[in-house]
Amino acid sequence: MAFNPVSLDYVYYPVSGIMWVWHKVFSFVPGLGPDSGITWALSVVFLVLTLRAILYKPFVRQIKTTRQMQEFQPQMQALRKKYGKDRQKLALEMQKLQKEHGFNPLLGCLPALLQVPVFIGLFHVLRSFNRMHEGGSPTSFLGGPQMSAEQTRNTANYFFSAHDVSSFLDARLFGVPLSSYVQQNPKEWVAFMNPPVPYHEGMDFGFTKWNILIFALPLMIIAALATHFNARASISRQPVASLENPQTAIMNRLMLWIFPLGVLVGGFFLPVAILLYWVTQNIWTYFQQHIVFGRLDKEDEEKKRLAQEKRAENAPKPGAKPKRGGAVALTKSAAEADAEDAGDDAGESAAPSKPSPGAKPAAGAKPKVQHPSANARQQQRNQQQRTNNRKKRRR
């Protein structure tokens, strides 16, 4: 099939190429072979696993972005309350806040945006194995123009040759073709006949709609339940303030009930291979979500522990007082300070002073006459000395 730049061939070829590689790998497994329905089913399952492994880092980035947005949600609400009437100012303040926190809202949507073309590409490739469906165009993701059973078996499907297409149409899983679906027109089942024969009422294809339903219904239920529990796990991580938002509450109800119901109803119109893709996708998401959340929780706990240890190291120790620069200087104990104050007082009392009235000088000692101004200067010097000593102790 020639490359058409107008279409989504840049999506179809990589998707079909990954599936083609896995089909070749499982073809060499003993007991399977290239025409086995299990081989083709495993190629679809591992196509999903490969794509999700490629999208693992964007998924982790999405979770981190969502958690980061929740952290400064109160600041965003404060900005809405402050600049609610000025849309332009609100937008500028929001951008400023996001820039300060290193937040990029596009990263939160990236995994979902990448999965959309992947799903469309897989849907188109699997539908293109049987081109007997009505409608469509050469560039339509629904599978292109309608063909006869003979033509569809002899038309390549991107990386898959015409022989591979015929092998896929002949493959059965629990007796059901992988590209069949419940609401499919029985006229399209002629492509599953090898060799193809003209359609007529009452043809025996080896399976019926009931066979397809019995196999597809459990897949639809599993996919719907997985979608519900994935939504429940995501909602349980939302902060309380976000849950009180009316718009968030509406979206949460859609995720919990409407989306799973859509998967259940839509399963009647999806090929069995697409249902396998959908089940694998949701089961992978369920376990990956819990693993990633668990790792991020451990990282947050480690960050909190390191922050607490850092605060404990910088906190003033007993008998210590913080300096201006944040450094800690050890001060003398209260007992030492009292002793020094007592020493200062003793020194002061030992200084010459005016004798009290009625006091007699000691024997052999000449009475000293001290000028009143000199006595006042001595008291000032003693007071200044005590003040300097206190300042030194504080440092």
Side-chain angles (χ1 to χ4, degrees):
M1 183 179 293
F3 179 81
N4 188 349
V6 180
S7 69
L8 294 177
D9 286 347
Y10 60 89
V11 176
Y12 303 149
Y13 273 98
V15 170
S16 63
I18 296 173
M19 184 176 170
W20 179 86
V21 169
W22 283 115
H23 175 258
K24 296 303 179 185
V25 169
F26 287 109
S27 295
F28 292 102
V29 176
L32 294 181
D35 299 331
S36 170
I38 298 177
T39 299
W40 283 104
L42 289 173
S43 67
V44 174
V45 170
F46 276 80
L47 166 63
V48 179
L49 300 181
T50 303
L51 294 174
R52 290 307 303 268
I54 294 173
L55 297 177
Y56 176 77
K57 287 189 176 180
F59 177 82
V60 174
R61 182 59 182 172
Q62 177 193 18
I63 300 299
K64 289 184 177 180
T65 302
T66 303
R67 292 162 70 99
Q68 187 182 16
M69 183 179 65
Q70 293 173 356
E71 291 177 359
F72 62 88
Q73 188 70 23
Q75 296 172 267
M76 296 177 68
Q77 291 182 357
L79 290 177
R80 291 191 187 98
K81 185 180 293 186
K82 185 176 181 180
Y83 303 104
K85 296 181 180 179
D86 190 347
R87 297 280 183 179
Q88 185 175 3
K89 182 67 175 178
L90 177 62
L92 292 174
E93 291 297 327
M94 286 287 191
Q95 291 177 359
K96 183 179 178 181
L97 180 64
Q98 292 173 359
K99 187 176 181 181
E100 290 176 354
H101 288 78
F103 174 75
N104 188 350
L106 293 178
L107 294 177
C109 304
L110 183 61
L113 293 176
L114 291 175
Q115 290 182 45
V116 171
V118 169
F119 178 78
I120 292 175
L122 179 61
F123 186 84
H124 170 78
V125 170
L126 294 177
R127 286 272 289 174
S128 296
F129 279 107
N130 185 355
R131 298 175 184 270
M132 290 191 68
H133 50 81
E134 299 178 0
S137 63
T139 59
S140 171
F141 73 92
L142 294 178
Q146 183 180 8
M147 296 182 179
S148 65
E150 191 70 29
Q151 288 174 325
T152 196
R153 277 185 168 269
N154 290 280
T155 302
N157 184 18
Y158 300 100
F159 263 90
F160 295 101
S161 65
H163 177 76
D164 294 330
V165 171
S166 182
S167 173
F168 183 87
L169 294 173
D170 292 338
R172 300 289 186 271
L173 192 62
F174 295 98
V176 176
L178 292 173
S179 60
S180 62
Y181 53 97
V182 177
Q183 293 297 322
Q184 190 174 25
N185 190 331
K187 292 181 180 180
E188 299 177 18
W189 293 355
V190 175
F192 301 130
M193 305 290 291
N194 190 12
V197 295
Y199 174 79
H200 60 83
E201 291 290 340
M203 284 185 64
D204 182 13
F205 296 99
F207 62 91
T208 64
K209 282 195 175 185
W210 283 106
N211 297 124
I212 301 175
L213 180 62
I214 291 172
F215 177 57
L217 187 59
L219 297 178
M220 290 186 279
I221 294 174
I222 294 172
L225 289 175
T227 303
H228 172 80
F229 285 111
N230 286 336
R232 185 178 293 275
S234 178
I235 293 171
S236 66
R237 298 278 179 169
Q238 295 178 358
V240 178
S242 178
L243 294 174
E244 295 175 353
N245 189 326
Q247 295 179 349
T248 304
I250 293 173
M251 180 57 65
N252 288 342
R253 283 195 291 271
L254 290 175
M255 292 171 59
L256 281 172
W257 307 110
I258 303 302
F259 291 172
L261 183 61
V263 173
L264 189 61
V265 174
F268 289 90
F269 303 91
L270 296 177
V272 170
I274 293 290
L275 293 177
L276 289 172
Y277 160 84
W278 199 252
V279 169
T280 308
Q281 166 93 352
N282 281 277
I283 292 177
W284 172 282
T285 301
Y286 181 81
F287 288 103
Q288 177 180 264
Q289 191 171 232
H290 284 73
I291 293 172
V292 171
F293 277 133
R295 289 180 178 176
L296 293 180
D297 289 342
K298 289 182 180 179
E299 290 179 4
D300 290 343
E301 291 176 1
E302 182 67 16
K303 289 179 182 177
K304 290 179 181 179
R305 186 184 65 81
L306 294 175
Q308 290 176 355
E309 291 180 355
K310 188 174 182 180
R311 285 196 298 267
E313 291 176 358
N314 294 332
K317 298 180 180 179
K321 199 169 185 178
K323 285 186 176 181
R324 287 185 179 180
V328 178
L330 295 178
T331 62
K332 297 180 181 180
S333 64
E336 292 175 341
D338 292 341
E340 289 188 4
D341 288 340
D344 293 340
D345 294 339
E348 183 179 352
S349 62
S353 60
K354 186 177 180 180
S356 59
K360 293 182 178 182
K366 295 181 180 180
K368 293 182 180 180
V369 179
Q370 191 172 15
H371 197 276
S373 61
N375 186 25
R377 285 196 297 272
Q378 181 62 35
Q379 290 180 354
Q380 289 178 358
R381 284 195 295 270
N382 293 338
Q383 181 64 30
Q384 182 65 34
Q385 183 64 29
R386 288 196 301 272
T387 303
N388 292 337
N389 289 338
R390 291 191 182 96
K391 288 183 178 180
K392 289 179 180 180
R393 289 196 298 271
R394 290 192 185 97
R395 294 195 189 98

PDB file of all heavy atoms in Angstrom, residues 46-67:
ATOM      1  N   PHE A  46       0.518  -7.341  22.952  1.00  0.00           N
ATOM      2  CA  PHE A  46       1.868  -6.804  23.121  1.00  0.00           C
ATOM      3  C   PHE A  46       2.071  -5.513  22.348  1.00  0.00           C
ATOM      4  O   PHE A  46       2.982  -4.740  22.665  1.00  0.00           O
ATOM      5  CB  PHE A  46       2.908  -7.855  22.729  1.00  0.00           C
ATOM      6  CG  PHE A  46       3.208  -8.812  23.838  1.00  0.00           C
ATOM      7  CD1 PHE A  46       2.356  -9.877  24.111  1.00  0.00           C
ATOM      8  CD2 PHE A  46       4.318  -8.637  24.644  1.00  0.00           C
ATOM      9  CE1 PHE A  46       2.610 -10.752  25.151  1.00  0.00           C
ATOM     10  CE2 PHE A  46       4.592  -9.511  25.683  1.00  0.00           C
ATOM     11  CZ  PHE A  46       3.739 -10.573  25.948  1.00  0.00           C
ATOM     12  N   LEU A  47       1.248  -5.267  21.352  1.00  0.00           N
ATOM     13  CA  LEU A  47       1.240  -3.950  20.728  1.00  0.00           C
ATOM     14  C   LEU A  47       0.844  -2.901  21.761  1.00  0.00           C
ATOM     15  O   LEU A  47       1.472  -1.837  21.879  1.00  0.00           O
ATOM     16  CB  LEU A  47       0.266  -3.930  19.549  1.00  0.00           C
ATOM     17  CG  LEU A  47      -0.111  -2.541  19.006  1.00  0.00           C
ATOM     18  CD1 LEU A  47       1.111  -1.837  18.445  1.00  0.00           C
ATOM     19  CD2 LEU A  47      -1.198  -2.664  17.943  1.00  0.00           C
ATOM     20  N   VAL A  48      -0.193  -3.192  22.541  1.00  0.00           N
ATOM     21  CA  VAL A  48      -0.635  -2.273  23.600  1.00  0.00           C
ATOM     22  C   VAL A  48       0.468  -2.087  24.643  1.00  0.00           C
ATOM     23  O   VAL A  48       0.781  -0.956  25.049  1.00  0.00           O
ATOM     24  CB  VAL A  48      -1.913  -2.805  24.274  1.00  0.00           C
ATOM     25  CG1 VAL A  48      -2.356  -1.865  25.391  1.00  0.00           C
ATOM     26  CG2 VAL A  48      -3.028  -2.964  23.256  1.00  0.00           C
ATOM     27  N   LEU A  49       1.074  -3.200  25.084  1.00  0.00           N
ATOM     28  CA  LEU A  49       2.113  -3.117  26.105  1.00  0.00           C
ATOM     29  C   LEU A  49       3.308  -2.308  25.616  1.00  0.00           C
ATOM     30  O   LEU A  49       3.902  -1.521  26.375  1.00  0.00           O
ATOM     31  CB  LEU A  49       2.563  -4.523  26.513  1.00  0.00           C
ATOM     32  CG  LEU A  49       1.483  -5.435  27.105  1.00  0.00           C
ATOM     33  CD1 LEU A  49       2.084  -6.784  27.477  1.00  0.00           C
ATOM     34  CD2 LEU A  49       0.825  -4.802  28.316  1.00  0.00           C
ATOM     35  N   THR A  50       3.658  -2.463  24.354  1.00  0.00           N
ATOM     36  CA  THR A  50       4.779  -1.706  23.790  1.00  0.00           C
ATOM     37  C   THR A  50       4.474  -0.217  23.765  1.00  0.00           C
ATOM     38  O   THR A  50       5.307   0.615  24.159  1.00  0.00           O
ATOM     39  CB  THR A  50       5.098  -2.194  22.370  1.00  0.00           C
ATOM     40  OG1 THR A  50       5.381  -3.597  22.390  1.00  0.00           O
ATOM     41  CG2 THR A  50       6.284  -1.447  21.789  1.00  0.00           C
ATOM     42  N   LEU A  51       3.281   0.126  23.291  1.00  0.00           N
ATOM     43  CA  LEU A  51       2.905   1.539  23.214  1.00  0.00           C
ATOM     44  C   LEU A  51       2.826   2.166  24.600  1.00  0.00           C
ATOM     45  O   LEU A  51       3.270   3.297  24.806  1.00  0.00           O
ATOM     46  CB  LEU A  51       1.568   1.675  22.483  1.00  0.00           C
ATOM     47  CG  LEU A  51       1.579   1.272  21.003  1.00  0.00           C
ATOM     48  CD1 LEU A  51       0.161   1.307  20.427  1.00  0.00           C
ATOM     49  CD2 LEU A  51       2.487   2.195  20.204  1.00  0.00           C
ATOM     50  N   ARG A  52       2.294   1.433  25.579  1.00  0.00           N
ATOM     51  CA  ARG A  52       2.192   1.986  26.927  1.00  0.00           C
ATOM     52  C   ARG A  52       3.569   2.102  27.582  1.00  0.00           C
ATOM     53  O   ARG A  52       3.798   3.001  28.396  1.00  0.00           O
ATOM     54  CB  ARG A  52       1.264   1.129  27.783  1.00  0.00           C
ATOM     55  CG  ARG A  52      -0.197   1.210  27.391  1.00  0.00           C
ATOM     56  CD  ARG A  52      -0.695   2.645  27.326  1.00  0.00           C
ATOM     57  NE  ARG A  52      -0.506   3.347  28.571  1.00  0.00           N
ATOM     58  CZ  ARG A  52      -1.416   3.407  29.540  1.00  0.00           C
ATOM     59  NH1 ARG A  52      -2.595   2.806  29.386  1.00  0.00           N
ATOM     60  NH2 ARG A  52      -1.185   4.082  30.646  1.00  0.00           N
ATOM     61  N   ALA A  53       4.481   1.181  27.251  1.00  0.00           N
ATOM     62  CA  ALA A  53       5.846   1.306  27.767  1.00  0.00           C
ATOM     63  C   ALA A  53       6.512   2.561  27.205  1.00  0.00           C
ATOM     64  O   ALA A  53       7.246   3.261  27.913  1.00  0.00           O
ATOM     65  CB  ALA A  53       6.657   0.054  27.416  1.00  0.00           C
ATOM     66  N   ILE A  54       6.255   2.848  25.929  1.00  0.00           N
ATOM     67  CA  ILE A  54       6.802   4.065  25.316  1.00  0.00           C
ATOM     68  C   ILE A  54       6.224   5.306  25.986  1.00  0.00           C
ATOM     69  O   ILE A  54       6.921   6.314  26.180  1.00  0.00           O
ATOM     70  CB  ILE A  54       6.504   4.070  23.798  1.00  0.00           C
ATOM     71  CG1 ILE A  54       7.277   2.926  23.115  1.00  0.00           C
ATOM     72  CG2 ILE A  54       6.878   5.404  23.177  1.00  0.00           C
ATOM     73  CD1 ILE A  54       6.917   2.740  21.654  1.00  0.00           C
ATOM     74  N   LEU A  55       4.957   5.241  26.366  1.00  0.00           N
ATOM     75  CA  LEU A  55       4.271   6.396  26.976  1.00  0.00           C
ATOM     76  C   LEU A  55       4.410   6.422  28.491  1.00  0.00           C
ATOM     77  O   LEU A  55       3.745   7.235  29.149  1.00  0.00           O
ATOM     78  CB  LEU A  55       2.782   6.363  26.602  1.00  0.00           C
ATOM     79  CG  LEU A  55       2.449   6.493  25.120  1.00  0.00           C
ATOM     80  CD1 LEU A  55       0.947   6.360  24.907  1.00  0.00           C
ATOM     81  CD2 LEU A  55       2.939   7.828  24.578  1.00  0.00           C
ATOM     82  N   TYR A  56       5.265   5.568  29.070  1.00  0.00           N
ATOM     83  CA  TYR A  56       5.362   5.499  30.539  1.00  0.00           C
ATOM     84  C   TYR A  56       5.863   6.825  31.124  1.00  0.00           C
ATOM     85  O   TYR A  56       5.270   7.357  32.071  1.00  0.00           O
ATOM     86  CB  TYR A  56       6.291   4.362  30.938  1.00  0.00           C
ATOM     87  CG  TYR A  56       6.512   4.286  32.428  1.00  0.00           C
ATOM     88  CD1 TYR A  56       5.550   3.745  33.270  1.00  0.00           C
ATOM     89  CD2 TYR A  56       7.693   4.780  33.005  1.00  0.00           C
ATOM     90  CE1 TYR A  56       5.742   3.683  34.647  1.00  0.00           C
ATOM     91  CE2 TYR A  56       7.894   4.712  34.381  1.00  0.00           C
ATOM     92  CZ  TYR A  56       6.917   4.168  35.185  1.00  0.00           C
ATOM     93  OH  TYR A  56       7.106   4.127  36.543  1.00  0.00           O
ATOM     94  N   LYS A  57       6.955   7.355  30.584  1.00  0.00           N
ATOM     95  CA  LYS A  57       7.496   8.610  31.127  1.00  0.00           C
ATOM     96  C   LYS A  57       6.512   9.770  30.984  1.00  0.00           C
ATOM     97  O   LYS A  57       6.348  10.554  31.923  1.00  0.00           O
ATOM     98  CB  LYS A  57       8.835   8.927  30.461  1.00  0.00           C
ATOM     99  CG  LYS A  57       9.963   8.021  30.934  1.00  0.00           C
ATOM    100  CD  LYS A  57      11.300   8.497  30.421  1.00  0.00           C
ATOM    101  CE  LYS A  57      12.436   7.642  30.983  1.00  0.00           C
ATOM    102  NZ  LYS A  57      13.766   8.084  30.501  1.00  0.00           N
ATOM    103  N   PRO A  58       5.859   9.939  29.814  1.00  0.00           N
ATOM    104  CA  PRO A  58       4.826  10.981  29.760  1.00  0.00           C
ATOM    105  C   PRO A  58       3.699  10.772  30.768  1.00  0.00           C
ATOM    106  O   PRO A  58       3.161  11.735  31.308  1.00  0.00           O
ATOM    107  CB  PRO A  58       4.302  10.886  28.319  1.00  0.00           C
ATOM    108  CG  PRO A  58       5.438  10.317  27.550  1.00  0.00           C
ATOM    109  CD  PRO A  58       6.117   9.371  28.471  1.00  0.00           C
ATOM    110  N   PHE A  59       3.363   9.505  31.063  1.00  0.00           N
ATOM    111  CA  PHE A  59       2.320   9.232  32.048  1.00  0.00           C
ATOM    112  C   PHE A  59       2.774   9.679  33.444  1.00  0.00           C
ATOM    113  O   PHE A  59       2.008  10.302  34.184  1.00  0.00           O
ATOM    114  CB  PHE A  59       1.990   7.739  32.059  1.00  0.00           C
ATOM    115  CG  PHE A  59       0.983   7.350  33.104  1.00  0.00           C
ATOM    116  CD1 PHE A  59      -0.373   7.519  32.874  1.00  0.00           C
ATOM    117  CD2 PHE A  59       1.396   6.809  34.313  1.00  0.00           C
ATOM    118  CE1 PHE A  59      -1.306   7.170  33.843  1.00  0.00           C
ATOM    119  CE2 PHE A  59       0.472   6.447  35.283  1.00  0.00           C
ATOM    120  CZ  PHE A  59      -0.880   6.630  35.043  1.00  0.00           C
ATOM    121  N   VAL A  60       4.024   9.355  33.801  1.00  0.00           N
ATOM    122  CA  VAL A  60       4.545   9.777  35.099  1.00  0.00           C
ATOM    123  C   VAL A  60       4.579  11.298  35.177  1.00  0.00           C
ATOM    124  O   VAL A  60       4.238  11.894  36.211  1.00  0.00           O
ATOM    125  CB  VAL A  60       5.951   9.186  35.333  1.00  0.00           C
ATOM    126  CG1 VAL A  60       6.568   9.732  36.623  1.00  0.00           C
ATOM    127  CG2 VAL A  60       5.887   7.670  35.384  1.00  0.00           C
ATOM    128  N   ARG A  61       4.976  11.923  34.091  1.00  0.00           N
ATOM    129  CA  ARG A  61       5.004  13.392  34.058  1.00  0.00           C
ATOM    130  C   ARG A  61       3.604  13.965  34.232  1.00  0.00           C
ATOM    131  O   ARG A  61       3.412  14.993  34.888  1.00  0.00           O
ATOM    132  CB  ARG A  61       5.617  13.862  32.736  1.00  0.00           C
ATOM    133  CG  ARG A  61       5.746  15.378  32.632  1.00  0.00           C
ATOM    134  CD  ARG A  61       6.605  15.943  33.739  1.00  0.00           C
ATOM    135  NE  ARG A  61       6.681  17.388  33.670  1.00  0.00           N
ATOM    136  CZ  ARG A  61       7.237  18.153  34.601  1.00  0.00           C
ATOM    137  NH1 ARG A  61       7.780  17.590  35.656  1.00  0.00           N
ATOM    138  NH2 ARG A  61       7.262  19.455  34.471  1.00  0.00           N
ATOM    139  N   GLN A  62       2.618  13.289  33.641  1.00  0.00           N
ATOM    140  CA  GLN A  62       1.237  13.726  33.792  1.00  0.00           C
ATOM    141  C   GLN A  62       0.803  13.673  35.255  1.00  0.00           C
ATOM    142  O   GLN A  62       0.185  14.611  35.770  1.00  0.00           O
ATOM    143  CB  GLN A  62       0.308  12.850  32.945  1.00  0.00           C
ATOM    144  CG  GLN A  62      -1.166  13.194  33.106  1.00  0.00           C
ATOM    145  CD  GLN A  62      -2.080  12.133  32.513  1.00  0.00           C
ATOM    146  OE1 GLN A  62      -1.654  11.006  32.283  1.00  0.00           O
ATOM    147  NE2 GLN A  62      -3.314  12.479  32.274  1.00  0.00           N
ATOM    148  N   ILE A  63       1.124  12.575  35.949  1.00  0.00           N
ATOM    149  CA  ILE A  63       0.755  12.434  37.357  1.00  0.00           C
ATOM    150  C   ILE A  63       1.439  13.507  38.195  1.00  0.00           C
ATOM    151  O   ILE A  63       0.815  14.138  39.065  1.00  0.00           O
ATOM    152  CB  ILE A  63       1.119  11.038  37.872  1.00  0.00           C
ATOM    153  CG1 ILE A  63       0.371   9.954  37.072  1.00  0.00           C
ATOM    154  CG2 ILE A  63       0.795  10.915  39.353  1.00  0.00           C
ATOM    155  CD1 ILE A  63      -1.133  10.047  37.166  1.00  0.00           C
ATOM    156  N   LYS A  64       2.730  13.734  37.945  1.00  0.00           N
ATOM    157  CA  LYS A  64       3.448  14.760  38.703  1.00  0.00           C
ATOM    158  C   LYS A  64       2.869  16.142  38.444  1.00  0.00           C
ATOM    159  O   LYS A  64       2.766  16.968  39.366  1.00  0.00           O
ATOM    160  CB  LYS A  64       4.935  14.733  38.329  1.00  0.00           C
ATOM    161  CG  LYS A  64       5.684  13.514  38.847  1.00  0.00           C
ATOM    162  CD  LYS A  64       7.157  13.608  38.511  1.00  0.00           C
ATOM    163  CE  LYS A  64       7.922  12.423  39.092  1.00  0.00           C
ATOM    164  NZ  LYS A  64       9.380  12.491  38.787  1.00  0.00           N
ATOM    165  N   THR A  65       2.490  16.411  37.186  1.00  0.00           N
ATOM    166  CA  THR A  65       1.893  17.704  36.854  1.00  0.00           C
ATOM    167  C   THR A  65       0.565  17.884  37.571  1.00  0.00           C
ATOM    168  O   THR A  65       0.262  18.969  38.085  1.00  0.00           O
ATOM    169  CB  THR A  65       1.694  17.816  35.331  1.00  0.00           C
ATOM    170  OG1 THR A  65       2.952  17.659  34.670  1.00  0.00           O
ATOM    171  CG2 THR A  65       1.116  19.168  34.962  1.00  0.00           C
ATOM    172  N   THR A  66      -0.232  16.825  37.622  1.00  0.00           N
ATOM    173  CA  THR A  66      -1.524  16.903  38.303  1.00  0.00           C
ATOM    174  C   THR A  66      -1.342  17.154  39.795  1.00  0.00           C
ATOM    175  O   THR A  66      -2.034  17.989  40.386  1.00  0.00           O
ATOM    176  CB  THR A  66      -2.308  15.602  38.087  1.00  0.00           C
ATOM    177  OG1 THR A  66      -2.463  15.371  36.681  1.00  0.00           O
ATOM    178  CG2 THR A  66      -3.685  15.698  38.726  1.00  0.00           C
ATOM    179  N   ARG A  67      -0.406  16.446  40.417  1.00  0.00           N
ATOM    180  CA  ARG A  67      -0.140  16.642  41.843  1.00  0.00           C
ATOM    181  C   ARG A  67       0.408  18.038  42.109  1.00  0.00           C
ATOM    182  O   ARG A  67       0.087  18.671  43.114  1.00  0.00           O
ATOM    183  CB  ARG A  67       0.846  15.580  42.343  1.00  0.00           C
ATOM    184  CG  ARG A  67       0.257  14.181  42.358  1.00  0.00           C
ATOM    185  CD  ARG A  67       1.342  13.146  42.413  1.00  0.00           C
ATOM    186  NE  ARG A  67       2.025  13.122  43.696  1.00  0.00           N
ATOM    187  CZ  ARG A  67       1.766  12.253  44.669  1.00  0.00           C
ATOM    188  NH1 ARG A  67       0.834  11.338  44.492  1.00  0.00           N
ATOM    189  NH2 ARG A  67       2.438  12.274  45.786  1.00  0.00           N
TER     190      ARG A  67
END
